[in-house]
Amino acid sequence: MFCTKCGSEMPDGTDFCTNCGARMGAASPAAAPAEPASMPAAGMPPVQKKSHKRVVIVGMCVVGVLVAGSAALALTGVLGPLGQGNSSQITVLGSDEGSAEHKDEGSAKEKPAADEDEADEPEQTGSSVKVDLNDQATYAAANLFLSNFTEEQFARDGAGGLASFDAADGLSAEEKRGMTIFVFNHLLENTTNRVERGGDVDGKSYASKVPVDSMKREMNRLFGVTLSDDEMHIDADGGLPDNLATRVTVRDGYLYFNEMHGFAGSPIPAIVSGAEDLGDNTYCLTFEAYVALSYNGISSPLISDVPESVYGLPADQLKSTIGADSTPMMSGTAVVKVTADDGAPSFTLQSINYD
């Protein structure tokens, strides 16, 4: 047994300590552990504090494991429903928190999507103004526009030097002459109220006259060009009698013409069958033209006698309505410039050629 005061070992049954004289086994204030005995050795933390730190450290490790586990779950898709369908969230997580493998996977998932988006975007080509012949209004406008030229057989068989007419390349003197004669006859044939009886100018007789502004407006509408007064002047054809020679002059706001005639024979409306986009709002129209024999009780109707709605009919119905047979009188191609309008597009002729 040991003395509870000094700690000396005593034989069992000893009543008093032979070293300090204290009563063995007696409870006394002195028998309580002294304060120095409760102090730890130098440099060692108290047991209680040591235990507290251990708990905190263990707790922090647990939290760290939980945080790391949550991040891993988010990266592996277990938390995916929150970000499902949102690739940008996945990319951010992979970039900031994930391993190099996750980053590579995130990049690999994103790049194909971006490439696919670029590949799916249509390239902007062709004309901004579209000519869709399946659209009835556009089809009717194209038919009616070209009928202005086929009715008078403009530039057919090289007449007037316009077999390969092309306004876009500039106009020769011969082309200006042919255009002037054509527009005058076109007005005479379709709008006789604008054409008046002529008179004498500078000692020469002219059969008819038309306001020069009407000539210029119609020329601009059909060809997209406007000739000056001097450019429309035509001297008498050499070697022909005065009554047969073509003379044109401008005086006092009128264009004087020494002939009064229009197209001889039945009108020839055009039916457009194709439109090829050449770019820059320019199209090549393929057409056929048929002789119009009758319409609504009118024999050999003029182009202006037939309403635009008829020009919008399918080819077979259009031919039937104007009394044309199945054989075209002429066919060819026409290059036109197209501009947008409130309804159907508008056209101006650039060139026309016949097969």
Side-chain angles (χ1 to χ4, degrees), residues 90-91 101-111:
I90 296 173
T91 302
E101 180 182 357
H102 281 115
K103 290 178 183 179
D104 291 341
E105 289 176 359
S107 300
K109 290 176 183 178
E110 279 297 301
K111 288 178 181 177

Side-chain angles (χ1 to χ4, degrees), residues 35-67:
E35 181 66 20
S38 64
M39 292 295 292
M44 295 295 292
V47 174
Q48 185 177 5
K49 292 183 179 179
K50 191 174 188 180
S51 174
H52 177 68
K53 282 191 174 181
R54 184 180 295 113
V55 172
V56 173
I57 292 171
V58 171
M60 290 176 63
C61 290
V62 171
V63 172
V65 171
L66 291 175
V67 171

Side-chain angles (χ1 to χ4, degrees), residues 137-154:
T138 300
Y139 171 69
N143 288 344
L144 182 57
F145 176 75
L146 281 191
S147 294
N148 288 303
F149 299 95
T150 57
E151 179 186 47
E152 294 287 335
Q153 301 188 47
F154 173 74

